[in-house]
Amino acid sequence: MNTNTLLDAVRAGRCDLVTTLITPLTDSERRTHLPELTALRREIRSWDWSRRWDAESTLRALHLAGAACHTGPAAAASWIAARDLRDTRPHDTAPLAALLAARDRAWRADVAHRLAARTATVEDDYPLIRALLQGTGAPAPTTDGFVHAWARATTTGTDTTTVPAGRRPRPRPRPLRVALREDPYTAELVPHLFQTAEPAPALTWYDDPRTPGRWPAELAHLAAEGTVTRRTLLTGSVNRLLRGGRTAHLAFYTDLLDVLDPTTDERAEHTADWIALAADAPSPTAARAQQTLTALFEAGRLPADHLAGMSAAVLFRPEKKLVRAQLVLLGKALRRDAADRFTLLPATAAAFGHTDTALQDKALKLVAAHLRPDDDALRADLAFEAEQLGPGLRRTAAALLGAIADPAGDGADGYEETLPAVPARRPLTTAGRSLAETVELVAALAKTNAPTAEETETALDLLVRHAHQDRTALAAALLPALADRYWAGPDAGLADPAHLSVPELLAAAVLGRLAPADLSPHRPVGGRGYGQNCIHDALQRVTTARAREAALRVLTDPLPFLLATPSWDCGTLEPHDLIGRLTAYHRQGTAPAPADFAQALLRVRRDPQAAGAAAALATPEGRRLADWLTAGAAAPHTRHVTDQDRGPRTWWGAERETVRRIVLEMPEHPVIQKEFPAVFHPLGRPRTGTPHCWHWRGQERAHLAVLPQDRERQAVWLLPELTECALAEDRGAGEVLSRLAELGGPAGPALHLAVATALGARHAEDRLAAVDALLVLAARGELDTALLGRDLAELLNLGTVKPNRLADAARTAAATGAYATTWAALAVALPAVLTDGPARGAGELLAVAADCVEHCGAGGPLPEGLAEAAARKGTSQLATQARRLEAALTATTG
């Protein structure tokens, strides 16, 4: 045979001819073709995509020829599974299966198992694997990928194991029951359905698990036929549930157990497993386990010690429904056999530590109903556990159980509010830092997407200082550290400033990679936001303009240092630091950079006492600083409620939801508009904050350092994002709020409204950040609880804040020890959920309020609507918690 004939057939994409040419060859003859086939494979890798698209037939022929010419199982499997040898169309394995059918059994089984171990391709190669295994007598592969592929092929009923040579496999649909009966590997692979890391997706393709033709029903049928044992299915399901996972992944196994309907003996065999599931499994699985254990109890198959162990774990769970059901089960057990109280009542006491006081009360009533007068030792044990009860229930427990530590709770006389320490500020110092430190910091920031304001400011000032001292030495040190940057290479031309980060602008100027004309203040400064109305874009432009200005001065008239470098890590600049820098500038004859000085004014702490020293400089900058330090408070913002449509627009014209939201509007800042460079003007313009922009995330906290002494203005800008976090699925703005609370300037109505809005955010991490902001303001003595409460009431009435979310945030704040602070705000907000018909979730909010009052002993008049809610009949959470709060307030004032 001509040595080029096979290669020509491959290049022509003639799979039929390739099969004809290879079939009569010996192993040694086949191996002689491998070098030329490998060379063709390397050649194809270099083809562009357009050529590869036209050469799909060549790829298929090359894949077929190489797999047949490799005589070693490992090499053959590697060639078959290669991604670069597969075209974009469905993989036809029939020609290859027919060509490899002549191999010996051991070789085919080895290749099949190697292919089954390749997770990325096992799904595509499943028909080939089955064809290779046919007639070998080898066991089926048990890898996760093969088991998943087997389940899928069996579900779809596709038979590809008996395909005549040279023909494409034609799917022959079969019912699942028939496919399982005819498959020789069914008994072998079914146990592995319970051992894969995740369930095979095909197992969950059903609506009703009992429907014939669906996996749960058919597996139960296999057990009834004896193909697999019931024990295999039951034990496999329980063990898989014990391994845990997402609820959706566990649903199949619980459904299978329902279809199998275990007998009492079968359930009792796994008692310890059910207890473990009730304790630690996801809520739906734990509820199934709890129901199973309840059935065992009713059948007399759950001993008291097992029930006690189960209860101690379940009562510790946060799900109220599970805890309530467990207390009901304990009540049944205690009524059945009074002697079990010595085992079951201590387990019941586990509910004393639950966060829901209604469940605490239910557990305490259960103890009171079954405790005997002569149970002295049991009473002492329960008294110790009762210390976990809330203050109001501890009084009841003290009367029932005897001496309890601090039975009156944290009353008015003994209560002390616990607030976090005021966040410490770190000084930001750059003077005296070495050249090596500067280069290391700049190199690190060049690879960072979201540097902090502290890192950026430190790098900028260090670069300016060292460039002023010895630009040549700085450039020599920077060049190797930034060698991987495209603009810093030895052959790189001038860089575009628009494509450089803030630290890179200074570094590129030091290296001479920027043209002064490109840094002109008359050139537009690009930002990273979308649209001209985005405040984040405006803040980024200010930071970028200042860096470009400093870079231009490096090239033309180097500055000795920057004026606006903060004194503290939060971005604040102390007046005496700025006065000292201006003095040094005047002494050296250095003209301040306009953007740098403007940024310094926005950062300086307003201290009128420092105005005299500033005016004594007798320079234009000194006089401007003195005026800035003595300027009166900015005009207050305006506030109104507006209706706004929200929700996706649809082509069929569906109605969008209309929501009411609070909008704040800041007035114009005339000094910024008239005396600051043009890039600062957007910061001083009137802005309602109504537009919700879609900017790049990651720089919000760094932007806070642009105006670290104006929390009110920044709160107005942040409010739309916080409102979206409460009304929609947005998240992340709370993190900015918690940092904003630590800055300077007045903590006025805008900041309080921002905190109130974030307390009702949809996502827990934003609510937690709002709690941090609230506690920081309280620790600094800046929190107006009455103002916060009024804002919460308005937001509750508008529907921006939901009572259950506010309850979660308030519970978190109170749990830190700030019970009095939390109550002071809730006392003002509660009428919003009690009047005009109690709102949904009001009972949960009342429970938190009652906890606060019981702990701190607060007094005062009853909130409006509380008496009416307490007078409601029934045992709903609303009525129960209203009565509890009323009793706590009455007891304190009485």
Side-chain angles (χ1 to χ4, degrees):
M1 181 182 65
N2 188 334
T3 56
N4 292 325
T5 303
L6 178 59
L7 187 60
D8 293 339
V10 171
R11 286 185 177 276
R14 294 284 306 278
C15 291
D16 54 345
L17 182 55
V18 168
T19 301
T20 302
L21 294 172
I22 291 180
T23 300
L25 298 181
T26 64
D27 285 354
S28 60
E29 290 173 334
R30 295 185 183 194
R31 286 194 294 268
T32 61
H33 292 284
L34 288 176
E36 61 188 16
L37 295 176
T38 304
L40 177 58
R41 180 180 178 182
R42 286 195 299 268
E43 178 187 337
I44 292 177
R45 286 175 179 170
S46 65
W47 293 354
D48 59 28
W49 284 106
S50 61
R51 188 175 179 187
R52 287 187 59 128
W53 181 267
D54 295 335
E56 286 187 347
S57 58
T58 302
L59 278 175
R60 291 194 295 271
L62 177 61
H63 184 259
L64 177 64
C69 288
H70 277 92
T71 56
S78 178
W79 185 281
I80 292 171
R83 283 290 191 183
D84 64 313
L85 294 173
R86 301 184 183 222
D87 55 35
T88 58
R89 293 185 294 180
H91 190 45
D92 182 7
T93 59
L96 181 57
L99 192 55
L100 299 180
R103 296 283 188 177
D104 63 77
R105 296 180 180 182
W107 189 94
R108 286 186 284 125
D110 192 352
V111 172
H113 279 263
R114 290 177 184 273
L115 292 175
R118 294 177 175 265
T119 305
T121 56
V122 62
E123 186 83 23
D124 293 337
D125 288 338
Y126 175 78
L128 176 62
I129 296 171
R130 289 301 301 265
L132 291 173
L133 289 173
Q134 191 173 7
T136 63
T142 57
T143 63
D144 285 10
F146 183 82
V147 173
H148 286 194
W150 173 77
R152 181 185 182 91
T154 308
T155 303
T156 57
T158 302
D159 180 11
T160 59
T161 59
T162 56
V163 180
R167 295 187 184 179
R168 289 182 58 87
R170 293 180 177 275
R172 181 161 56 86
R174 295 173 298 170
L176 178 59
R177 179 171 299 183
V178 175
L180 288 171
R181 184 187 303 119
E182 295 180 352
D183 196 309
Y185 292 128
T186 294
E188 185 178 350
L189 290 178
V190 163
H192 291 281
L193 293 174
F194 306 95
Q195 298 173 12
T196 56
E198 295 182 359
L203 299 180
T204 62
W205 295 349
Y206 59 83
D207 294 326
D208 184 355
R210 299 181 183 276
T211 302
R214 303 296 183 262
W215 274 97
E218 295 308 328
L219 288 176
H221 182 75
L222 289 178
E225 286 185 337
T227 305
V228 294
T229 64
R230 280 178 60 86
R231 178 180 294 274
T232 297
L233 301 181
L234 290 171
T235 304
S237 296
V238 172
N239 290 342
R240 183 59 185 81
L241 293 173
L242 287 170
R243 283 170 49 191
R246 292 188 297 173
T247 302
H249 286 174
L250 301 179
F252 166 76
Y253 306 102
T254 55
D255 288 342
L256 178 57
L257 289 173
D258 287 345
V259 174
L260 291 172
D261 192 17
T263 64
T264 300
D265 289 339
E266 289 172 332
R267 292 175 177 174
E269 186 178 347
H270 294 281
T271 298
D273 297 330
W274 302 124
I275 293 176
L277 290 172
D280 298 321
S283 186
T285 306
R288 297 281 190 98
Q290 187 183 51
Q291 294 168 4
T292 300
L293 290 167
T294 301
L296 288 175
F297 165 77
E298 293 173 349
R301 303 291 296 273
L302 187 65
D305 57 338
H306 285 66
L307 177 57
M310 167 198 178
S311 300
V314 174
L315 296 178
F316 189 73
R317 295 183 66 113
E319 298 94 336
K320 298 176 184 179
K321 184 176 181 180
L322 292 178
V323 175
R324 193 176 297 111
Q326 193 65 26
L327 291 174
V328 170
L329 180 59
L330 284 169
K332 293 179 180 179
L334 288 167
R335 288 191 295 271
R336 174 180 292 184
D337 190 345
D340 288 339
R341 68 184 184 280
F342 298 101
T343 302
L344 297 180
L345 286 182
T348 304
F352 290 170
H354 201 276
T355 56
D356 190 337
T357 54
L359 295 175
Q360 293 181 12
D361 185 39
K362 187 175 182 67
L364 185 59
K365 289 178 179 178
L366 196 59
V367 169
H370 297 280
L371 190 65
R372 302 287 180 84
D374 55 344
D375 293 337
D376 296 333
L378 180 57
R379 182 174 281 103
D381 292 340
L382 294 173
F384 177 77
E385 297 293 337
E387 295 177 11
Q388 304 177 74
L389 293 167
L393 292 177
R394 281 207 295 267
R395 300 185 185 95
T396 304
L400 172 66
L401 304 175
I404 296 178
D406 190 18
D410 295 324
D413 297 335
Y415 175 75
E416 182 177 352
E417 186 84 343
T418 302
L419 293 173
V422 177
R425 294 178 175 176
R426 300 189 309 275
L428 194 154
T429 57
T430 55
R433 297 182 67 169
S434 68
L435 181 63
E437 290 180 278
T438 302
V439 172
E440 181 180 2
L441 177 59
V442 173
L445 294 185
K447 300 177 177 65
T448 302
N449 292 326
T452 65
E454 180 182 5
E455 293 170 336
T456 300
E457 291 296 333
T458 301
L460 289 181
D461 194 59
L462 287 175
L463 284 169
V464 168
R465 287 176 181 271
H466 286 287
H468 182 266
Q469 294 169 9
D470 190 344
R471 178 183 165 185
T472 302
L474 177 59
L478 281 175
L479 194 56
L482 300 174
D484 60 333
R485 313 308 291 174
Y486 74 92
W487 49 265
D491 299 327
L494 294 177
D496 184 355
H499 297 155
L500 301 181
S501 67
V502 169
E504 287 179 324
L505 279 168
L506 266 294
V510 170
L511 295 176
R513 300 294 192 270
L514 295 177
D518 292 337
L519 299 172
S520 170
H522 302 293
R523 288 286 186 94
V525 179
R528 296 183 181 180
Y530 290 114
Q532 298 296 322
N533 204 29
C534 173
I535 189 59
H536 307 92
D537 184 66
L539 292 168
Q540 182 62 44
R541 289 173 187 272
V542 167
T543 302
T544 303
R546 179 165 164 260
R548 292 177 62 169
E549 179 185 70
L552 179 61
R553 293 293 292 265
V554 167
L555 297 173
T556 57
D557 183 16
L559 295 168
F561 48 79
L562 293 176
L563 294 175
T565 302
S567 305
W568 304 98
D569 64 312
C570 61
T572 296
L573 175 59
E574 291 296 333
H576 63 83
D577 286 338
L578 181 54
I579 293 172
R581 294 170 188 173
L582 287 173
T583 302
Y585 265 43
H586 183 62
R587 187 185 310 115
Q588 299 176 26
T590 302
D596 187 36
F597 180 64
Q599 176 64 92
L601 291 181
L602 293 179
R603 284 179 174 165
V604 72
R605 181 174 58 84
R606 298 290 184 96
D607 183 3
Q609 296 181 357
L617 293 175
T619 63
E621 290 76 22
R623 288 188 290 272
R624 286 184 61 188
L625 175 59
D627 293 341
W628 184 268
L629 293 174
T630 55
H637 61 264
T638 58
R639 171 173 174 160
H640 62 276
V641 177
T642 184
D643 293 337
Q644 183 175 353
D645 290 342
R646 61 179 297 270
R649 295 187 181 276
T650 54
W651 64 268
W652 59 85
E655 293 185 3
R656 305 180 74 199
E657 180 185 6
T658 300
V659 297
R660 307 192 70 202
R661 63 175 70 204
I662 300 175
V663 173
L664 302 182
E665 182 175 0
M666 291 295 295
E668 182 181 70
H669 197 302
V671 176
I672 294 178
Q673 290 290 88
K674 295 178 181 178
E675 301 180 13
F676 280 48
V679 73
F680 288 82
H681 291 176
L683 306 185
R685 292 172 187 159
R687 187 179 293 271
T688 63
T690 303
H692 182 60
C693 59
W694 298 100
H695 58 281
W696 291 113
R697 289 282 185 184
Q699 289 293 323
E700 294 92 333
R701 291 188 60 168
H703 291 160
L704 294 178
V706 176
L707 288 92
Q709 290 295 306
D710 197 345
R711 286 183 290 184
E712 282 293 278
R713 187 171 292 272
Q714 298 214 57
V716 171
W717 295 339
L718 183 61
L719 183 62
E721 291 186 60
L722 295 173
T723 303
E724 289 299 314
C725 288
L727 291 173
E729 292 290 343
D730 288 19
R731 66 199 314 160
E735 180 186 3
V736 184
L737 177 65
S738 64
R739 181 64 172 174
L740 180 61
E742 301 176 13
L743 301 185
L751 184 57
H752 280 73
L753 178 61
V755 172
T757 304
L759 289 173
R762 179 181 296 270
H763 298 287
E765 62 267 27
D766 286 317
R767 296 196 296 271
L768 183 60
V771 170
D772 289 340
L774 183 151
L775 295 176
V776 166
L777 294 176
R780 295 172 61 166
E782 298 174 332
L783 182 66
D784 186 339
T785 53
L787 175 59
L788 180 65
R790 291 194 295 272
D791 286 337
L792 288 171
E794 184 175 6
L795 291 167
L796 286 165
N797 284 326
L798 292 174
T800 304
V801 170
K802 305 294 189 295
N804 61 325
R805 297 176 188 169
L806 176 58
D808 177 74
R811 186 182 301 110
T812 302
T816 65
Y819 290 101
T821 300
T822 306
W823 163 246
L826 291 182
V828 182
L830 280 178
V833 298
L834 294 176
T835 57
D836 298 330
R840 182 178 181 183
E844 194 171 349
L845 197 57
L846 287 171
V848 179
D851 283 341
C852 293
V853 173
E854 290 174 351
H855 277 88
C856 69
L862 301 182
E864 184 182 357
L866 180 62
E868 291 78 0
R872 295 166 67 100
K873 297 181 180 180
T875 58
S876 65
Q877 185 184 33
L878 173 67
T880 300
Q881 298 301 333
R883 288 191 286 268
R884 178 184 163 213
L885 177 57
E886 183 184 45
L889 288 171
T890 304
T892 303
T893 55

